[in-house]
Amino acid sequence: MYKSILLAADGSENSTRAGNQAAQLASLVKGAEVTLVYVSDFKEDSHEELHDGGAIEFELSRKKKIQPIREALEHEKIFYKTKILHGRPAPAIIELANEGNFDLVVIGSRGLNAFSEIMLGSVSHKVVNGVNCPVLVVK
């Protein structure tokens, strides 16, 4: 079963649903552990720093985005740790997943239409193709 789960979150509704799925899966395995990762994109960082005016507020805004997921994990009494990374989301998640020996990666889908996904690519699509373990994409 999935004892070590990497859960990628960005604060969207789909990532919250992914968090709920990860919590349910982890609750099925005694001693399961979830690593909740939020990747702060460089573009997002520069925009938030201009408006927040301080590192403390910036950190709090990130934590607020993933709070519903943390609450779902705590509700299921799942041991979890949180990592906040900086960079482009897909490469950062792929690197962490492949170096961390995870049994499963859980990620939300943004729900891009087929044309947009072909033209732009999605983080979840890149993660599916880049990691060395199973991936659960949640819509």
Side-chain angles (χ1 to χ4, degrees):
M1 267 321 258
Y2 305 118
K3 192 162 182 143
S4 179
I5 299 172
L6 177 61
L7 170 59
D10 65 2
S12 67
E13 284 184 40
N14 286 338
S15 77
T16 299
R17 282 193 285 278
N20 291 334
Q21 289 294 311
Q24 289 176 1
L25 285 170
S27 72
L28 300 173
V29 180
K30 185 175 180 168
E33 179 179 311
V34 173
T35 300
L36 171 58
V37 63
Y38 176 88
V39 182
S40 188
D41 193 336
F42 291 125
K43 291 176 192 171
E44 178 185 321
D45 284 354
S46 62
H47 176 72
E48 286 190 33
E49 285 176 344
L50 289 173
H51 292 86
D52 283 345
I56 294 172
E57 291 87 3
F58 187 45
E59 190 68 24
L60 287 173
S61 74
R62 291 183 195 149
K63 288 184 177 181
K64 193 183 274 188
K65 289 180 181 181
I66 59 174
Q67 185 59 33
I69 296 169
R70 295 171 61 184
E71 289 171 1
L73 293 166
E74 290 167 4
H75 181 263
E76 294 290 338
K77 297 180 178 30
I78 305 301
F79 176 79
Y80 73 95
K81 54 188 168 188
T82 303
K83 288 185 179 261
I84 296 179
L85 305 177
H86 299 276
R88 293 187 347 242
I93 294 164
I94 291 166
E95 182 178 348
L96 180 61
N98 289 339
E99 291 178 0
N101 295 319
F102 292 94
D103 300 321
L104 178 70
V105 174
V106 180
I107 187 168
S109 167
R110 282 223 163 143
L112 294 175
N113 65 40
F115 179 74
S116 294
E117 189 165 326
I118 288 169
M119 296 305 291
L120 303 173
S122 69
V123 172
S124 58
H125 182 77
K126 290 173 185 173
V127 168
V128 166
N129 290 309
V131 300
N132 299 325
C133 67
V135 179
L136 172 62
V137 179
V138 179
K139 274 184 134 180

